[in-house]
Amino acid sequence: MSAVDRKPGTGFEQDVRPLLRARPGLALAGVDTGSTPGFSGSKKLGTALRAARESELSELQRLIYAGATAGARHRVLLVLQGMDTSGKGGVIQHVLGGLSPHGVHTHGFGRPTPEEAAQHFLERVRRQLPRPGVIGAFDRSHYEDVLVPVVHDMLEDRQLERRYAEIREFEQELAEDGTIVVKVFLHLGRDEQRQNLMARLGDRTKQWKFDPSDLTARSRWDVYMAAYERAIDATDADHAPWYVVPTDRKWYARAVVQELLISALAGLHLDWPDPQYDVGEMRRRLAAL
């Protein structure tokens, strides 16, 4: 029996995974970004739910980390994508912030450096992959390389399709090596983003986070949505699923991402590794010292 016994979707009215899993022919315009699928409670209840389950995720993290010391290859890669102000950093802070730093690796991908631009687009991603036993989280990821170039007409269709194929092969390779890949598109509403950006500009403590290029991206909103739809449709797979999470209500998105991680880890049926020594003998030697 595994050390953690639970049912997927605990705390929600139903399992959110089938509710939020991307479907072929995804139309982002048809998703209500202010909705909370699988949860009908208030912000207060949703925030309390996430706080109450921090210990559950922490226990699972300790289990996967312990397993790696005995040679297990399991690790987790959480990929977070979304428009500016969709809350990628907040998810990392609120969902992973309470875990042991020894078992967490996070990385944010910005514009490639000249050195990175001269390499294959997956090279810088490979350098940031979590090692066995670790939960890794990407704030933006390799998907930027099939989004930004598309929006700015920098790739021909055949080049784009080749990149999709390379991503599929890359994620298949990760899965075969023991990596649980969880990909989340934090789907923010256009009106909500406007409010977020206005609030950022109106708060001196957050103005440093504003980038004028955010306005350029916002002006191409529909083009970005089409690029996301195409990328998600081309790379969704059972071993590397995409979840489209409404995120106007950030408390809901955080609770969902926490649930996705807990469900993924619980599905491994983890248990504490057996010690590679005689426990009784160690006790006797310790008592004799």
Side-chain angles (χ1 to χ4, degrees):
M1 182 181 295
S2 65
V4 177
D5 185 15
R6 63 180 296 280
K7 294 181 179 180
T10 298
F12 290 83
E13 295 158 5
Q14 55 185 303
D15 190 345
V16 296
R17 290 173 295 178
L19 294 177
L20 302 176
R21 176 74 183 271
R23 292 286 181 266
L26 171 68
L28 291 173
V31 177
D32 180 359
T33 58
S35 63
T36 58
F39 190 82
S40 60
S42 64
K43 175 180 179 180
K44 182 178 180 180
L45 289 175
T47 303
L49 165 65
R50 180 180 55 77
R53 303 185 72 202
E54 286 180 352
S55 60
E56 188 176 358
L57 181 58
S58 180
E59 177 83 347
L60 287 162
Q61 181 213 22
R62 292 197 299 132
L63 280 162
I64 195 173
Y65 191 85
T69 67
R73 297 290 299 170
H74 299 306
R75 82 289 300 269
V76 177
L77 176 60
L78 171 64
V79 173
L80 298 172
Q81 288 288 155
M83 297 294 283
D84 299 306
T85 81
S86 60
K88 298 179 291 296
V91 166
I92 291 174
Q93 176 186 350
H94 290 277
V95 177
L96 302 181
L99 302 181
S100 169
H102 296 294
V104 174
H105 174 71
T106 65
H107 188 78
F109 289 92
R111 184 176 301 174
T113 64
E115 179 184 359
E116 290 171 338
Q119 301 171 339
H120 189 278
F121 76 97
L122 288 173
E123 187 60 33
R124 65 174 183 161
V125 177
R126 289 184 182 278
R127 289 196 292 268
Q128 297 298 333
L129 290 172
R131 66 183 185 278
V134 170
I135 297 176
F138 287 169
D139 180 342
R140 301 188 189 278
S141 66
H142 43 295
Y143 282 94
E144 292 298 295
D145 293 282
V146 291
L147 293 168
V148 176
V150 171
V151 171
H152 294 278
D153 293 321
M154 298 166 60
L155 287 177
E156 298 177 357
D157 271 358
R158 60 182 180 81
Q159 295 173 312
L160 179 61
E161 291 299 331
R162 183 165 63 246
R163 285 196 178 184
Y164 288 151
E166 289 173 326
I167 287 175
R168 290 193 294 267
E169 182 178 350
F170 170 60
E171 292 176 347
Q172 178 71 51
E173 172 191 326
L174 293 180
E176 290 175 354
D177 192 38
T179 306
I180 302 174
V181 183
V182 179
K183 300 181 294 190
V184 175
F185 175 59
L186 296 171
H187 191 16
L188 182 71
R190 192 171 187 175
D191 290 342
E192 185 69 16
Q193 191 205 46
R194 180 179 181 277
Q195 294 179 38
N196 292 344
L197 290 173
M198 282 293 190
R200 183 172 291 181
L201 288 169
D203 184 343
R204 190 171 183 278
T205 68
K206 296 182 179 180
Q207 288 170 354
W208 63 272
K209 296 174 67 176
F210 183 85
D211 188 330
S213 66
D214 293 347
L215 299 183
T216 301
R218 180 173 169 79
S219 70
R220 300 184 178 185
W221 186 276
D222 291 340
V223 182
Y224 265 103
M225 292 301 104
Y228 270 114
E229 288 171 351
R230 185 171 178 181
I232 291 171
D233 193 55
T235 59
D236 178 69
D238 288 342
H239 61 268
W242 270 109
Y243 297 98
V244 177
V245 179
T247 191
D248 285 4
R249 304 185 188 189
K250 289 185 170 57
W251 58 266
Y252 169 77
R254 293 164 185 169
V256 164
V257 173
Q258 182 190 60
E259 163 61 19
L260 294 175
L261 291 177
I262 289 174
S263 293
L265 286 165
L268 293 174
H269 306 293
L270 299 166
D271 206 346
W272 303 110
D274 293 326
Q276 303 301 304
Y277 54 83
D278 187 318
V279 176
E281 174 65 18
M282 293 301 105
R283 285 175 172 167
R284 288 189 292 272
R285 290 176 59 183
L286 178 59
L289 290 176

